[in-house]
């Protein structure tokens, strides 16, 4: 794994799938890995894994893919079911060690391929970069630019405007990625602690008033991160749709990618693909359109 550090010796770890490929391709090491996993799962020690004994392995694979726990979403449960079917081939009651190794190898290499096209950066954020940004020479100019672009601030409360502006800051500024956990556990509690009730409800605040309140909040966020650093995972790739436009403009390439995807997807007796398998088709076509794997960016599926 590639390790990098910034001026504050803050380390980031880049997960690009190379470690997974190295593990699978090293036969001696991978055999030992499979042996240990198999023994852990083989509760009755009969040399084969039942569907029940396979469940922990399926759960671990789901967690590695970023799926929610089984039973919480029909979509993710369908993927868990497909993973289990890969091991059992949809009908077997028992899986041998050789079969377990073959399927595990295929799944791991598939995950490695996804990480290769969309590496994940694991970063420890301790507030130093954010503090450096807020006290740097370019801070006010950049925040004024952000404020001027937030049309919602015209009729929103000062609190909502500050929250929206914070979401415009990125990892490059030292701010954790914008997600529900960061919003509910860091951003909103700190904004509420920095503003009194009247400030929270204040509307049409002047630019000067916004800048003063916003700086106070950002300094508090930096302090919070310094006291309680957070570990975040994010993608450094930008998916701007250019890959999709390029693929759609080339009919030959598009038809080829679609045909490859359709060949591996189960169809009914009329040759049609069920809605449940549409995600698999899209994920197979994704590399050709320079898109992340399904689930890596939730907006790709939900909006």
């Amino acid at each position: 794994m590639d390790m990098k550090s910034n001026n504050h010796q803050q380390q980031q770890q880049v997960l690009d799938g190379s470690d997974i490929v190295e593990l699978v391709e090293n036969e001696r090491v991978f055999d030992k890995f499979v042996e240990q996993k198999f023994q852990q799962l083989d509760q009755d020690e009969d040399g084969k894994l039942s569907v029940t004994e396979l469940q922990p392995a399926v759960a671990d694979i789901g967690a590695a893919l970023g799926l929610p726990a089984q039973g919480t979403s029909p979509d993710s449960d369908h993927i868990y079911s497909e993973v289990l079917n890969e091991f059992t081939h949809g009908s077997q009651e028992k899986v041998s060690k050789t079969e377990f190794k073959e399927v595990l190898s295929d799944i791991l290499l598939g995950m490695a391929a996804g990480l290769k096209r969309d590496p994940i950066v694991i970063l420890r954020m301790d507030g130093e970069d954010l503090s450096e940004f807020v006290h740097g020479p370019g801070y006010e100019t950049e925040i004024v630019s952000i404020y001027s672009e937030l049309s919602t601030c015209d009729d929103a409360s000062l609190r909502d405007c500050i929250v929206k502006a914070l979401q415009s800051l990125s990892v490059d500024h030292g701010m954790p990625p914008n997600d529900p956990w960061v919003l509910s556990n860091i951003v909103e509690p700190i904004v509420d602690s920095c503003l009194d009730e009247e400030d929270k409800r204040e509307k049409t605040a002047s630019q000067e008033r916004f800048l003063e309140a916003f700086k106070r909040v950002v300094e508090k966020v930096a302090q919070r991160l310094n006291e309680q650093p957070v570990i975040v995972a994010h993608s450094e790739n930008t998916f701007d749709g250019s890959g999709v436009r390029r693929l759609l403009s080339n009919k030959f390439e598009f038809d080829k990618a679609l045909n490859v995807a359709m060949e591996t997807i189960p169809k009914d007796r009329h040759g049609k693909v069920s809605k449940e398998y549409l995600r698999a088709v899209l994920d197979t076509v994704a590399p050709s359109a320079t898109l992340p794997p399904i689930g890596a960016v939730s907006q790709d599926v939900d909006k």
Side-chain angles (χ1 to χ4, degrees):
M1 294 180 184
D2 184 24
M3 298 297 292
K4 301 177 182 178
S5 61
N6 61 17
N7 294 333
H8 305 297
Q9 304 303 309
Q10 200 170 265
Q11 289 188 327
Q12 68 177 28
Q13 188 176 21
V14 181
L15 306 181
D16 60 4
S18 58
D19 277 2
I20 297 176
V21 174
E22 185 178 336
L23 168 66
V24 175
E25 292 184 346
N26 188 321
E27 189 171 349
R28 182 181 61 82
V29 174
F30 189 57
D31 282 346
K32 183 178 179 180
F33 173 77
V34 171
E35 180 68 29
Q36 291 175 339
K37 290 295 180 185
F38 194 89
Q39 288 182 4
Q40 291 172 4
L41 297 169
D42 188 14
Q43 295 296 309
D44 59 8
E45 299 181 351
D46 68 346
K48 292 191 174 183
L49 299 179
S50 66
V51 170
T52 300
E53 289 172 331
L54 281 167
Q55 289 298 334
V58 173
D60 287 344
I61 291 169
L65 293 171
L67 297 176
Q70 284 179 277
T72 58
S73 163
D75 289 333
S76 60
D77 284 353
H78 176 71
I79 298 175
Y80 279 113
S81 177
E82 289 302 303
V83 171
L84 182 60
N85 285 339
E86 285 294 316
F87 284 109
T88 65
H89 303 293
S91 59
Q92 289 178 228
E93 294 184 0
K94 293 278 188 173
V95 175
S96 69
K97 188 186 300 181
T98 299
E99 292 169 325
F100 177 73
K101 176 184 175 181
E102 290 175 353
V103 174
L104 186 60
S105 172
D106 289 343
I107 290 175
L108 290 176
L109 290 175
M111 292 169 63
L115 287 170
K116 183 178 180 179
R117 74 176 191 254
D118 184 25
I120 294 174
V121 178
I122 308 297
L123 181 65
R124 181 180 185 270
M125 311 201 74
D126 60 10
E128 291 193 53
D129 284 346
L130 186 59
S131 181
E132 184 178 283
F133 165 66
V134 78
H135 294 109
Y139 166 78
E140 186 165 328
T141 300
E142 186 160 353
I143 300 306
V144 167
S145 176
I146 290 175
Y147 175 80
S148 64
E149 293 174 1
L150 293 176
S151 58
T152 54
C153 284
D154 294 338
D155 55 1
S157 66
L158 177 60
R159 177 192 183 279
D160 291 344
C161 192
I162 289 175
V163 170
K164 192 73 174 176
L166 281 170
Q167 293 172 344
S168 298
L169 299 183
S170 68
V171 171
D172 292 336
H173 297 103
M175 187 72 186
N178 177 33
D179 65 26
W181 187 91
V182 171
L183 185 64
S184 61
N185 289 275
I186 298 179
V187 172
E188 289 181 338
I190 288 177
V191 171
D192 290 338
S193 71
C194 289
L195 302 176
D196 58 33
E197 290 304 317
E198 186 175 342
D199 288 337
K200 292 175 189 177
R201 295 190 299 269
E202 181 182 352
K203 292 191 176 183
T204 62
S206 66
Q207 177 177 294
E208 182 180 358
R209 176 79 181 93
F210 167 81
L211 291 175
E212 180 272 326
F214 186 77
K215 186 170 186 178
R216 191 165 69 244
V217 169
V218 176
E219 288 176 334
K220 194 75 172 179
V221 172
Q223 181 182 335
R224 157 67 169 76
L225 292 173
N226 183 258
E227 295 170 353
Q228 301 176 51
V230 298
I231 306 296
V232 301
H234 73 104
S235 169
E236 292 191 329
N237 288 346
T238 300
F239 303 101
D240 58 4
S242 59
V244 178
R245 288 192 296 272
R246 178 189 55 76
L247 179 63
L248 294 178
S249 66
N250 187 326
K251 186 177 185 303
F252 174 78
E253 186 178 348
F254 177 67
D255 287 345
K256 180 181 177 182
L258 198 57
N259 287 336
V260 169
M262 294 296 291
E263 284 175 1
T264 61
I265 302 301
K267 306 174 186 66
D268 63 20
R269 58 192 180 88
H270 300 294
K272 294 184 178 181
V273 177
S274 67
K275 183 173 63 177
E276 287 75 15
Y277 288 106
L278 182 58
R279 287 170 179 257
V281 174
L282 292 173
D283 209 26
T284 305
V285 174
S288 301
T290 60
L291 287 173
I294 285 183
V297 182
S298 60
Q299 289 86 345
D300 286 354
V301 176
D302 298 332
K303 295 183 181 180

